[in-house]
Amino acid sequence: MDCAIKNGTIVTAERIVKADIGIQGEKVAAIEPGLKGDKIIDASGLYVFPGFIDPHVHLLMAIGDLISSDDFTTGTIAAACGGTTTVIDFTENYRGDDLLEGVKTRRAQADGKVAVDYSLHLTLADATDKTLEQLSLLAQEGYASAKLYTTYEGLRLQDGEILRLLAATRDCGVLPMIHTENNDAIAYLTAELLRQGKTAPKYHPMSRPPLVEAEAANRVTILAQLVNAPLYIAHLTCRETLERVQAARQRGQKVYAETCPQYLLLSQDDYERPGFEGAKFVLSPPLRDKSNWGVLWSALADGALQVVATDHCPWYYETQKVRGRDSFAKIPNGAPGIETRVPLLFSEGVGKGRLSLQRFVEVCATAPARLFGLYPRKGTIAVGSDADLVIYDPDKEVTLSYKTLHQRVDYCPYEGRVVRGYPRTVLLRGQVIVEDGHFIGYAGQGQFIPGKAFAFQS
Ligand code: URP
Ligand code: ZN
Ligand code: ZN
């Protein structure tokens, strides 16, 4: 073997086993005791997890003249240091844009620059014949999922367009990932708040309360039922939306849903921070009442939620978030999290008895790999899989701070929080890219990984 990882406890979604892992080239070649290798990594007392997958990140994302602060290199180095070896970003095309051009542009921004492997969700911002033709072409080239929006200028779709796109994605094996918030309700509530002079960041959650999200989730699940299409709900935040998703499942629909660490660990109280600090937490859908934490943790544990992604979308507080000083509606939406997801989920989930080790691996690696067509190449440890591995010290304590994290942004939403458990060594396709918390790989080491078509059985 080129490399043997010895004496670790291997954790996959299916099993926990003490064995060695043999790596040949880029692949796992053997899993058994007593392996030898040219290079030996001792994992005694440590877990060995599959490389984690973050299926929802926004690197180098433009909103007007602002660009999110992490690019494909800085963001993927941060991902690697946090144990994530594959990220899925999005094409950045808007209504009327050419989808093939959108893919070309995004590939040019990422190829040769990424430090971990990556894939792309298409963005479907209209439902013209041309877009549908291009969708079907791209589905055959490894673009196996697409984001659809019910809000945001230039992205939001009408119900008729959503129906057309759901039928088209169903036919070509592309999993639609939907941002569910009712655009008209947001517009009305925002205008009312601003009219009353309520401009501070703390009014952001009032402009997009839980029912705004739940209504859109309810509507899109019913639209999906009309055309018998599967569906993935992005960044689910609250019990109201979860109830609508569960109702659709009871009707027999295939509906999957992700949540994010910020909805499990932060709350609308964070908008009350002094001065303009609440702007750091302006993201959409917004942070909710703390009573949702238990609902979401239980849903993750019992399988009602399938995935934990980050929705990493960082903006500098000092120079970008401040754009909204006179109105919460002008604050660029999003927050950083690509590097902290795995340590937070391990510490707060496994460490506090809310998630089993296997379920932790399932929601942060295996389920995203399966849903987005990367499994079994990614998302598990098996003979023939990519040797993307995270050797994890369950006892290492780290105090999270923007000063020491690799994310390129001037704050951390979890500043000062202590996590127990941290990646020690991270391998990408057999190469060590993180050692003792230090990135030792290189930009360009990551590859585009095509997604296989979503196998939907009605
Ligand atoms: O506030 C957020 N989440 N910004 C990123 C774009 C999105 O809706 O996912
Ligand atoms: Zn979204
Ligand atoms: Zn997002």
Side-chain angles (χ1 to χ4, degrees):
M1 297 289 163
D2 292 336
C3 175
I5 298 173
K6 297 193 64 72
N7 310 314
T9 300
I10 301 167
V11 184
T12 66
E14 288 79 31
R15 62 180 184 151
I16 301 180
V17 62
K18 260 192 175 270
D20 300 342
I21 299 173
I23 299 169
Q24 198 68 49
E26 299 194 337
K27 302 284 182 188
V28 172
I31 304 171
E32 55 196 55
L35 290 173
K36 294 190 169 61
D38 297 343
K39 176 184 166 83
I40 299 290
I41 299 177
D42 183 21
S44 302
L46 306 174
Y47 290 122
V48 187
F49 297 129
F52 292 99
I53 298 173
D54 187 344
H56 188 157
V57 305
H58 302 276
L59 303 171
L60 210 68
M61 187 183 88
I63 299 185
D65 63 335
L66 295 180
I67 298 181
S68 63
S69 58
D70 261 320
D71 62 24
F72 278 94
T73 297
T74 61
T76 52
I77 288 174
C81 293
T84 292
T85 52
T86 305
V87 299
I88 314 184
D89 206 298
F90 301 82
T91 64
E92 288 294 317
N93 47 290
Y94 283 78
R95 180 175 287 278
D97 289 349
D98 186 282
L99 192 51
L100 298 181
E101 280 303 315
V103 169
K104 239 202 224 160
T105 307
R106 216 55 184 147
R107 288 291 303 268
Q109 288 173 340
D111 289 343
K113 314 228 178 35
V114 280
V116 299
D117 286 351
Y118 84 105
S119 203
L120 287 174
H121 305 292
L122 301 171
T123 296
L124 298 176
D126 58 48
T128 60
D129 289 347
K130 181 175 159 202
T131 296
L132 265 52
E133 276 160 33
Q134 296 185 331
L135 166 70
S136 135
L137 266 175
L138 289 163
Q140 292 159 43
E141 291 177 15
Y143 299 90
S145 49
K147 192 160 181 196
L148 280 65
Y149 290 85
T150 56
T151 186
Y152 295 143
E153 240 13 80
L155 292 171
R156 80 187 133 90
L157 298 157
Q158 301 298 324
D159 290 351
E161 294 174 309
I162 294 175
L163 271 171
R164 209 160 182 240
L165 291 171
L166 289 175
T169 49
R170 174 204 64 200
D171 288 347
C172 54
V174 166
L175 183 64
M177 172 193 226
I178 315 225
H179 178 123
T180 64
E181 288 186 295
N182 180 311
N183 189 68
D184 287 353
I186 297 166
Y188 169 75
L189 293 169
T190 303
E192 279 300 295
L193 288 161
L194 296 180
R195 195 179 56 76
Q196 294 164 33
K198 296 178 172 169
T199 57
K202 67 178 178 188
Y203 296 108
H204 171 69
M206 296 179 204
S207 71
R208 315 168 92 106
L211 285 179
V212 161
E213 179 186 330
E215 186 283 326
N218 187 51
R219 181 161 33 95
V220 296
T221 55
I222 290 173
L223 296 178
Q225 186 180 18
L226 285 172
V227 292
N228 188 29
L231 204 60
Y232 177 99
I233 306 281
H235 40 47
L236 184 150
T237 70
C238 58
R239 66 165 64 72
E240 288 84 348
T241 305
L242 187 63
E243 280 166 12
R244 272 64 179 193
V245 166
Q246 294 284 51
R249 290 181 184 142
Q250 270 156 23
R251 299 193 293 266
Q253 291 182 248
K254 285 258 189 309
V255 183
Y256 308 94
E258 78 178 17
T259 191
C260 311
Q262 53 269 33
Y263 303 119
L264 295 159
L265 299 168
L266 302 172
S267 80
Q268 61 189 33
D269 296 355
D270 288 298
Y271 295 114
E272 305 281 347
R273 294 204 190 193
F276 189 61
E277 295 265 311
K280 294 177 176 174
F281 304 89
V282 168
L283 41 91
S284 294
L287 302 178
R288 305 299 189 195
D289 189 285
K290 279 181 182 157
S291 68
N292 287 287
W293 289 352
V295 175
L296 298 181
W297 279 113
S298 302
L300 275 177
D302 68 21
L305 289 173
Q306 287 73 41
V307 170
V308 178
T310 62
D311 196 8
H312 177 77
C313 187
W315 306 97
Y316 288 116
Y317 174 67
E318 292 289 347
T319 53
Q320 297 182 309
K321 287 279 186 184
V322 288
R323 284 283 186 100
R325 268 208 187 278
D326 64 338
S327 164
F328 66 83
K330 293 190 203 151
I331 300 170
N333 279 208
I338 204 167
E339 191 169 359
T340 49
R341 173 185 66 137
V342 168
L344 283 168
L345 257 281
F346 183 86
S347 188
E348 296 285 336
V350 178
K352 298 203 171 153
R354 293 156 161 155
L355 284 184
S356 70
L357 267 174
Q358 285 173 264
R359 190 73 192 136
F360 159 71
V361 170
E362 173 99 39
V363 300
C364 292
T366 316
R370 283 187 192 279
L371 288 165
F372 298 113
L374 307 176
Y375 188 88
R377 179 170 179 187
K378 307 286 188 189
T380 193
I381 302 174
V383 172
S385 296
D386 280 359
D388 296 350
L389 300 164
V390 180
I391 303 173
Y392 204 87
D393 181 346
D395 297 318
K396 181 171 179 184
E397 290 197 349
V398 172
T399 302
L400 300 179
S401 171
Y402 79 92
K403 291 182 184 146
T404 43
L405 290 166
H406 300 77
Q407 302 171 149
R408 188 167 68 182
V409 64
D410 56 358
Y411 75 98
C412 169
Y414 310 94
E415 189 71 25
R417 190 185 287 247
V418 178
V419 289
R420 188 180 168 102
Y422 219 79
R424 177 182 287 186
T425 307
V426 178
L427 289 89
L428 176 71
R429 283 180 280 100
Q431 299 296 309
V432 175
I433 58 168
V434 175
E435 190 63 84
D436 281 329
H438 300 289
F439 179 71
I440 58 167
Y442 58 92
Q445 195 164 1
Q447 291 179 357
F448 176 77
I449 308 293
K452 284 181 295 199
F454 182 76
F456 171 58
Q457 284 104 34
S458 61

